Every structure is written in structure tokens, then in C-alpha cells.
Amino acid sequence: MVAQVIDGKAFAAKVRAQVADQVAKLKEENGITPGLAVVLVGEDPASQVYVRSKGKQTVEVGMNSYEHKLDVDTSEEDLLALIDKLNKDPAVHGILVQLPLPKHLNEDLVINSIDPAKDVDGFHISNVGLLGTGQKSMVPCTPLGCLMMLRDYHGSLSGMDAVVIGRSNIVGKPMAQLLLGDSCTVTIAHSRTKDLPDVVRRADIVVAAVGRPEMVPGDWIKEGATVIDVGINRIERDGKNKLVGDVDYARAAERAGAITPVPGGVGPMTIACLLANTLTACCRANGLPEPEGLTA
Ligand code: NAD
């Protein structure tokens, strides 16, 4: 079997076009422009790239982008004061604080100070609880992107055996909740899982979110399974820098029914879902119907 490639780049472009369309309608029919505020503390190079890319794509879909760049030694008090201001600003529908934060800042405290209705990353404890209890919430962007691709490929996921490798708060756990919400039988595997190959071999859906280059070999993949590779790992091969996922793509693609590549799979979906979440937050804030197909 040769796997169908799930093209995250093309899918993300489709999501962005849908968002842009809805934003244009909101402006025309309701005179509302969704706004996303991104807060960056310090000068972490990777974070700077992400923030730039988020700002650019926000503007491209017709939304307002508000960037707040703060010094690396910004106090917790000043950061909380900015978040409070953004919470109260009616032009801001989504707030994202770029992680990781410098060590002297308490990440949990900062994230939980964001108004849950504006928490477009879906990391606020209220949104975690709402997702866990199957209620309307803001859903973390990366798992939401994975879910959209799975639904698009399979239609219904009901009754499928899914394994999520990795139990982080930003990917593994919310991904498992979303799959459960779509009636999969879900296993969460992690660094202490006893027989990972056996667990993976039973799965119809494998979501790998570990951060270890090609740690899932092709022969762990059940014939015809769908593989979603969240991992982004920089490696050096044949004297060149390369990005690879957590799955051995070439071997896995010989057995899987469908697979996401790295790069060009889950990665592009994350920012597209951030824009989708900002649109959703804006619609909810204004008592308008939520955009179809862009939420969990
Ligand atoms: P994390 O480090 O917070 O969590 C990794 C998880 O993997 C942990 O729960 C750990 O238990 C598990 N793990 C570690 N070693 C393992 C092993 N040998 N076997 C099984 N499980 C093991 O990482 P994260 O933030 O969840 O990110 C995971 C990967 O996804 C990283 O490569 C990250 O760069 C990538 N990522 C990509 C996107 C995207 O937009 N595509 C977004 C977020 C994260």
C-alpha cells in the first residue's frame, strides 16, 4: 500500500480562505473586524519567526493584528497589566502569549490571566476543563488542525482505535480529548508506556507528538492506518540541515493509508487554526453564529 499524502499546506490555505471569506462578510454585514493580539516577551529567535508569521497571516485574512513586543526582563506585574488591558479592549477578540516565557515569569499564572473567551490558544484552565467535559471551548490550535485533517479524510472517526503518542498539555492531552469527543477509542502513550510498538500496531489512527526524530519506525504502523505526525525535529543528514517528524515517513508511507509529511503537514495547520479560533471568538463575542467547519 502506498499512503495518500495529507497535504497540510493546501488544507491550511483552504482554511485561511474560508476564514478570509467569513471576515469579509463580518465586515460588510456587521461592521466588525476580528482582532488578534500577540504578546512576545524577549527575543527568542524561533518565537520571533512564529510571531512574525502569525501577524502576517492575520493581516492577510483581513483581521487586525496587534503585536506587543516586551523586553526580556519585563516584570510579571507589567505583563499582567497588559493582558488586563487586552482583556478589556473590545477590538481584541483573541489574545496569544507566545511561549516559552522567560524563566522569571509564571507561565500558568500568565495564561490563566487571559479572558478564557479570548484565549485563542486554548491553554486557559477553563478551556481545558470545558474541552474535557465536552463543552464549547477554545481548542488548542495544533490538535484542532489534526482533527480537521482527520475528519476531512475519514468523515466519521466513530469507533476507530486511536493512539496519541505524547501527553503534553498543548498537544497530546487535548488531541486525545478531541478524538474521544469524536467517539474514537483512545490510548495515550508516553515515555513510560510498556510496549509502544504493540500499542501503535493496533491503531487505526496514530498521532505522534513526541519531539524525537523518526522514533516511530514504519513497521509499527498497521496496514492502512492514518498517521498524523506532529513532531518537528531539526537534524543534520548528509551534511545538510533537515526537518523531520517523529515518524519514519518513507517506511511508514509504505504501510499507512494516509500520512502527513514534515514539513507541510500539521505545521501549516496550526496558524490557520489560530486564525479560525480568532474568528470563532469574535463571532461568540458578538452573539453571531460560529463559522461552520472551523471549530471542534
Ligand atoms: P513535549 O516535550 O511537551 O511532550 C513530549 C511528550 O512525548 C511527553 O509527554 C513525553 O511523555 C512523550 N515522550 C517522550 N519520549 C517518549 C518516548 N520515547 N516514547 C513515547 N513518548 C515519549 O512536546 P510537545 O510540545 O507536545 O511537542 C511534541 C512535538 O510536536 C515536538 O517536536 C514539537 O516541536 C512538535 N509541535 C509541533 C507543532 C506544529 O505546529 N506542528 C505544534 C506543537 C508542537
Side-chain angles (χ1 to χ4, degrees), residues 142 166-168 170 190-191 209-212 215 230-232 266-267 270:
T142 301
R167 56 176 160 181
S168 73
I170 65 166
H190 46 78
S191 52
V210 179
R212 291 174 61 133
M215 69 157 283
V230 183
I232 302 176
V266 176
T270 298

Side-chain angles (χ1 to χ4, degrees), residues 40-139:
L40 173 64
V41 187
E43 288 172 1
D44 176 66
S47 294
Q48 283 179 324
V49 173
Y50 290 137
V51 166
R52 213 173 305 132
S53 186
K54 283 167 186 170
K56 185 168 165 272
Q57 294 191 35
T58 303
V59 171
E60 277 169 6
V61 295
M63 296 183 184
N64 289 328
S65 166
Y66 308 101
E67 273 180 34
H68 296 268
K69 293 186 178 160
L70 308 181
D71 279 351
V72 69
D73 52 8
T74 297
S75 70
E76 203 161 80
E77 196 187 351
D78 285 351
L79 178 56
L80 294 177
L82 171 63
I83 293 172
D84 186 50
K85 206 174 103 196
L86 297 173
N87 282 341
K88 291 176 179 150
D89 186 343
V92 172
H93 304 97
I95 302 170
L96 180 150
V97 176
Q98 184 67 42
L99 302 178
L101 287 172
K103 293 269 179 293
H104 68 283
L105 299 170
N106 179 339
E107 243 169 52
D108 287 338
L109 180 75
V110 169
I111 296 304
N112 290 325
S113 73
I114 299 172
D115 177 350
K118 296 189 178 189
D119 166 40
V120 281
D121 249 344
F123 297 161
H124 190 289
I125 192 77
S126 298
N127 282 315
V128 176
L130 290 167
L131 178 62
T133 49
Q135 300 179 69
K136 200 179 269 191
S137 64
M138 294 306 306
V139 177

